[in-house]
């Protein structure tokens, strides 16, 4: 329990964000919570692999927040579009709805609207308003809802 409290203290989350997180955790059973944690760990591993592939020097050339923003955009695009088969418009709508629960009215109004830009660029812009941890958490939840219920490319094979 001390490790969890230490991680929360170091997270930089506001009290409001922590209360919302506690409420969400209370709504999950043990298996669902472990699945959420496993999904997030997999995302973090994928993030670490990208850093290994492209090299830490690449990220050192950019300000820390900007290098993380670039990775979060492609990471969320992978999770919501590629892993689930959702359209870009549907994925952006679901993510935006999920993120609004974490924000004040002023913050919601400052979120960029998805236009004809790349999905990952749009997520990068959102990460300037919403912490990456919240974006990844909500994206993992959406992926969990849709990844296993995605329609097969071969519907005749399901008979």
């Amino acid at each position: 329990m001390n490790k969890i409290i230490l991680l929360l203290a170091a997270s930089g989350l506001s009290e409001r964000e922590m209360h919302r997180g506690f409420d969400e955790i209370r709504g999950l059973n043990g298996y669902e919570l472990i699945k959420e944690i496993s999904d997030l760990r997999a995302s973090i591993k994928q993030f670490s692999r990208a850093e290994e592939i492209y090299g830490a020097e690449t990220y050192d050339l950019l300000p820390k927040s900007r290098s993380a923003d670039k990775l979060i955009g492609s990471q969320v695009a992978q999770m919501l579009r590629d892993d689930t088969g959702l359209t870009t418009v549907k994925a952006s709508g679901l993510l935006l709805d999920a993120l609004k629960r974490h924000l004040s009215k002023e913050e919601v109004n400052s979120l960029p609207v998805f236009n004809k830009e790349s999905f990952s660029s749009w997520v990068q812009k959102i990460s300037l308003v919403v912490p990456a941890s919240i974006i990844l958490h909500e994206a993992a939840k959406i992926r969990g809802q849709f990844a296993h219920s995605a329609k097969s490319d071969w519907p005749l094979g399901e008979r």
Side-chain angles (χ1 to χ4, degrees), residues 29-46:
N29 66 38
Y31 296 107
E32 292 170 328
L33 180 60
I34 290 171
K35 173 138 178 41
E36 289 290 329
I37 292 169
S38 296
D39 288 348
L40 198 51
R41 283 180 176 165
S43 296
I44 291 168
K45 282 182 184 177
Q46 193 174 21

Side-chain angles (χ1 to χ4, degrees), residues 65-101:
S65 62
R66 300 303 302 158
S67 64
D69 290 347
K70 288 192 180 297
L71 288 175
I72 187 112
S74 60
Q75 177 110 23
V76 172
Q78 170 75 38
M79 292 170 73
L80 295 185
R81 287 195 350 236
D82 302 340
D83 294 353
T84 65
L86 292 170
T87 66
T88 302
V89 172
K90 179 75 171 171
S92 63
L94 289 168
L95 183 60
L96 202 53
D97 288 343
L99 294 176
K100 286 178 180 178
R101 293 189 298 250

Side-chain angles (χ1 to χ4, degrees), residues 82-86 143-153 158:
D82 302 340
D83 294 353
T84 65
L86 292 170
R143 180 181 64 186
Q145 290 173 341
F146 289 91
H148 303 294
S149 64
K151 291 184 179 179
S152 170
D153 291 337
E158 294 175 355

Side-chain angles (χ1 to χ4, degrees), residues 79-129:
M79 292 170 73
L80 295 185
R81 287 195 350 236
D82 302 340
D83 294 353
T84 65
L86 292 170
T87 66
T88 302
V89 172
K90 179 75 171 171
S92 63
L94 289 168
L95 183 60
L96 202 53
D97 288 343
L99 294 176
K100 286 178 180 178
R101 293 189 298 250
H102 297 275
L103 305 173
S104 67
K105 285 184 180 183
E106 296 81 27
E107 291 169 322
V108 168
N109 291 334
S110 69
L111 288 175
V113 177
F114 181 73
N115 287 327
K116 296 179 181 178
E117 60 188 310
S118 77
F119 185 77
S120 58
S121 296
W122 176 72
V123 172
Q124 286 170 232
K125 290 178 185 175
I126 287 178
S127 70
L128 298 174
V129 178

